[in-house]
Amino acid sequence: MKTNGARFLESLGIPFELLEYEVDPEDLSATTVAKKIGMPAEQVFKTLLTTGGPSVHVFAVIPGNAELDFKKLARAAGLRKSEMVSLKDVQPLTGYIRGGVTVFGVKKPFPVFVDETVILFDKISVSAGTRGTQLILTPADLTKGAHTPEAHA
């Protein structure tokens, strides 16, 4: 299934592979996704939208088996604090629903911070922009796509 995330990467000429899996709406965790696609959880990166205050948003892309360190993210982003965006705000801000958020082709351009462990892998998995579909790509291509000015639809 072609997703907005996949179309966005195609528009940049960034190679990727799409992997589909059966979605359990009761369990959208990255560790479950990892089991379903046959990759280690630390190689399946989840995309989280955080806020540092009114109209201040930052994406964090972290390993599926990790918890986000909000203080570390705030320091890296030059913010006083960081916390998760409320669930009701995720879709209006990104265009994606929980369990399908990706940094590719989002509604509004937000800074993207990727966990440094991404460099440990030749290929990683991130959401393709919909539940049940993952993008497999290189860490360099994730970074390239995430920091392209045209990245934001």
Side-chain angles (χ1 to χ4, degrees):
M1 173 172 140
K2 197 68 67 93
T3 66
N4 283 346
R7 280 189 280 279
F8 171 72
L9 289 175
E10 280 181 347
S11 77
L12 296 177
I14 293 176
F16 62 89
E17 178 186 341
L18 280 176
L19 272 184
E20 293 186 23
Y21 63 93
E22 190 71 32
V23 177
D24 175 358
E26 300 301 313
D27 184 359
L28 299 172
S29 74
T31 52
T32 297
V33 171
K35 286 178 195 149
K36 290 183 178 192
I37 66 169
M39 288 178 85
E42 61 272 13
Q43 204 169 344
V44 176
F45 282 70
K46 55 189 173 185
T47 303
L48 306 173
L49 184 62
T50 67
T51 182
S55 301
V56 178
H57 299 93
V58 174
F59 279 116
V61 182
I62 65 170
N65 61 347
E67 292 293 320
L68 181 57
D69 182 332
F70 291 101
K71 288 181 179 177
K72 191 174 178 182
L73 177 63
R75 276 195 306 275
L79 304 171
R80 283 199 340 241
K81 65 175 182 133
S82 177
E83 61 188 31
M84 290 299 294
V85 164
S86 74
L87 194 50
K88 69 176 176 51
D89 292 333
V90 171
Q91 189 170 13
L93 289 168
T94 65
Y96 299 115
I97 60 171
R98 179 177 163 258
V101 176
T102 184
V103 298
F104 304 124
V106 293
K107 280 185 168 183
K108 299 179 182 178
F110 301 125
V112 178
F113 292 84
V114 180
D115 188 277
E116 62 195 5
T117 61
V118 75
I119 64 168
L120 300 175
F121 306 103
D122 292 334
K123 298 271 184 174
I124 58 159
S125 172
V126 296
S127 177
T130 187
R131 292 175 181 169
T133 310
Q134 291 289 110
L135 292 165
I136 310 300
L137 70 169
T138 67
D141 285 339
L142 167 71
T143 303
K144 185 165 125 184
H147 294 97
T148 301
E150 306 81 43
H152 312 289

